[in-house]
Amino acid sequence: MEALSFYDVKLKTKFESSNYTVQEKSGRFFAVAKSPSGPHECWRVLSKDQAAKLKK
């Protein structure tokens, strides 16, 4: 999988991860990754085109 940049809101830090899932919620697409420094998840908004490309 392609590495994406995520922002951890709780720790106020950026990180890159290629270990994520693509999820759809209310018609919008998100990449969801585990935070490297905690038990919470970090979500990133994706466009429809980007989500379709990453799902392949």
Side-chain angles (χ1 to χ4, degrees):
M1 254 190 199
E2 179 184 331
L4 292 179
S5 177
F6 290 87
Y7 183 74
D8 191 331
V9 176
K10 288 187 179 184
L11 300 176
K12 297 182 175 113
T13 57
K14 279 187 169 183
F15 67 94
E16 283 201 6
S17 178
S18 57
N19 187 21
Y20 55 85
T21 59
V22 176
Q23 296 184 17
E24 183 179 358
K25 197 172 204 176
S26 303
R28 296 185 78 186
F29 293 94
F30 300 91
V32 183
K34 285 278 270 174
S35 171
S37 306
H40 54 280
E41 295 177 331
C42 300
W43 291 58
R44 174 195 167 128
V45 178
L46 299 173
S47 68
K48 285 184 179 181
D49 295 337
Q50 195 176 18
K53 179 182 158 192
L54 293 174
K55 279 186 174 182
K56 287 182 181 178

